[in-house]
Amino acid sequence: MAGESQLQQLAQQIKLRLPGWDVRSATLATPGTFERELAAFGSVPFLYPVFMADGWFTKKALPERTGSREVRQLSPLGLHPMLPHRTVKLLKQAAERHGWSLNSCDVMIAAHGSETGSAAADCALYFAKRVRALIPFKKKIHTGFLAQEPFLSRVAQVSTPRTLLLPFLAGTGSHLTEDIPDALAEGGFKGVLLPAVGEADFIAELIAHSLGTAWLKANNFDPVSQHRTVEHQSAGVEIDAETVAPGMTNHGIERCDEPSRGSHNRLRVVASLLKKLQNLQSSMKRQAA
C-alpha cells in the first residue's frame, strides 16, 4: 500500500501539469488494481512505466497484464533523456546543503540489478555513465547492486565522508528502507545516503513532458521539427508550434464538414494546452542548465 500511495501522489502531481487529462496509477503488486484502473479509460490510454529499467517488467509483465487491451506504452522513467541532467543538479544541491562543492565529493549509485538478466544493470550503468559525463571533474562514479556483482556492500568500502550515495530506484519500499541500509552497514559506508531518484521533485515534470510529447506524436505533431503546424482543416486555421507549445488533453481537432462553435472551442483548447507544454519544456531546459 505504500507503493500505491506514492504513485497516487505522483499521479496528482502529473495531473496538475496536464490539465484536462485523466491520470490514474496502479502498482502491479496489488491484486486487481492495475486491471481496474485500466478498464476505467474509455479510449486508448498512454501507459507510463515508473520503472528504472527497460527489462522484464516493461517487456513481459506489463504486456501480459494489459492483455488484449490496446495501450500506448512509453519508455520507462529510468531511460528519460533528461533524468541524468536533473540528477546532476540534485547532487549539486545535496553537496551544497552540507557546505561542500560537488567537485569535492564522490558519487555512488545504488541499483537493484538482477540475477537473471542484464537489462537492469545495463540501464543503471548507462545512467551512471551519463551522469559522469555531465560532471565537470574527472572522478569515477561507483555503482553497486543489491542482486549482482559488484555488490553494494563491497562498493561501499571505498566510500569517504563526502560520498553522495543515490539510490537508482523509483521510490520508497523495502529496498530503500532495509536492503540498501543493510548493505551499507555491512560495507562500513561513511558517506551520505540520499533519497531515491524517483522521489525527486522533478519526476512529475519529466513524466508529464514524456506524456505530452507522446500525445503530440500520436496526433501526427512532430515535436522535433523546427517548422511545424497543427492544421484545423475545416476552419482553415493553422497554429504555429513555435509560438504555441505542446500540452495534453483528451480532446483533439476533429474534422467536420462545416466550421462550428464547438470546433473553434476545441482549437482554442488545443492551442492553450500546447502552450502549457512548451512552457514546461522551457522550464526543464532552464533548470537543467
Side-chain angles (χ1 to χ4, degrees):
M1 294 311 299
E4 294 289 350
S5 176
Q6 180 191 359
L7 278 184
Q8 288 171 6
Q9 294 177 25
L10 180 60
Q12 289 302 313
Q13 295 172 15
I14 296 169
K15 186 174 178 63
L16 291 175
R17 293 163 171 81
L18 297 175
W21 277 55
D22 183 3
V23 182
R24 298 172 179 267
S25 66
T27 69
L28 297 181
T30 308
T33 301
F34 178 79
E35 288 78 8
R36 182 178 66 252
E37 296 298 335
L38 187 61
F41 292 104
S43 58
V44 179
F46 294 93
L47 178 59
Y48 192 92
V50 187
F51 292 104
M52 304 313 294
D54 193 17
W56 183 84
F57 281 105
T58 57
K59 294 181 178 179
K60 184 173 177 61
L62 275 176
E64 287 182 352
R65 294 288 288 272
T66 56
S68 60
R69 175 62 190 268
E70 184 181 0
V71 298
R72 297 184 178 99
Q73 182 173 323
L74 280 64
S75 296
L77 173 62
L79 296 185
H80 195 290
M82 287 299 295
L83 184 61
H85 296 264
R86 300 301 293 272
T87 297
V88 169
K89 184 174 182 179
L90 184 74
L91 292 170
K92 288 180 180 179
Q93 293 171 342
E96 290 169 357
R97 284 196 298 270
H98 289 82
W100 308 329
S101 69
L102 185 56
N103 287 354
S104 68
C105 298
D106 290 328
V107 176
M108 192 171 289
I109 306 295
H112 187 274
S114 174
E115 297 177 344
T116 59
S118 63
D122 289 345
C123 289
L125 292 172
Y126 178 72
F127 170 77
K129 180 180 179 181
R130 291 283 311 281
V131 169
R132 170 66 193 84
L134 294 168
I135 297 179
F137 61 90
K138 302 298 182 183
K139 284 194 175 183
K140 183 177 181 181
I141 291 186
H142 305 278
T143 304
F145 299 98
L146 295 174
Q148 68 177 77
E149 294 278 1
F151 287 104
L152 180 59
S153 57
R154 181 179 302 174
V155 176
Q157 296 174 7
V158 303
S159 64
T160 71
R162 291 196 181 189
T163 296
L164 301 175
L165 189 143
L166 179 70
F168 187 63
L169 300 173
T172 58
S174 61
H175 291 318
L176 191 64
T177 59
E178 299 175 13
D179 299 336
I180 288 180
D182 289 347
L184 296 181
E186 181 181 345
F189 181 68
K190 303 179 182 67
V192 178
L193 174 59
L194 303 177
V197 67
E199 297 182 83
D201 293 340
F202 57 75
I203 293 300
E205 185 179 12
L206 294 188
I207 295 176
H209 174 266
S210 291
L211 290 168
T213 301
W215 184 88
L216 294 176
K217 290 182 178 179
N219 287 274
N220 298 318
F221 186 97
D222 183 3
V224 178
S225 173
Q226 295 299 313
H227 303 285
R228 56 192 187 273
T229 58
V230 175
E231 181 179 0
H232 187 280
Q233 297 189 13
S234 62
V237 178
E238 289 189 348
I239 307 173
D240 183 356
E242 299 303 320
T243 56
V244 293
M248 289 296 95
T249 177
N250 290 328
H251 303 286
I253 300 177
E254 300 178 0
R255 293 185 181 182
C256 55
D257 293 333
E258 297 293 337
S260 65
R261 180 179 301 176
S263 67
H264 287 291
N265 286 340
R266 283 190 293 272
L267 182 60
R268 285 193 292 270
V269 168
V270 172
S272 174
L273 292 173
L274 288 174
K275 182 66 175 177
K276 291 179 184 297
L277 188 53
Q278 174 129 37
N279 291 338
L280 180 59
Q281 290 172 322
S282 298
S283 173
M284 289 172 61
K285 290 178 180 179
R286 289 195 300 270
Q287 294 183 32

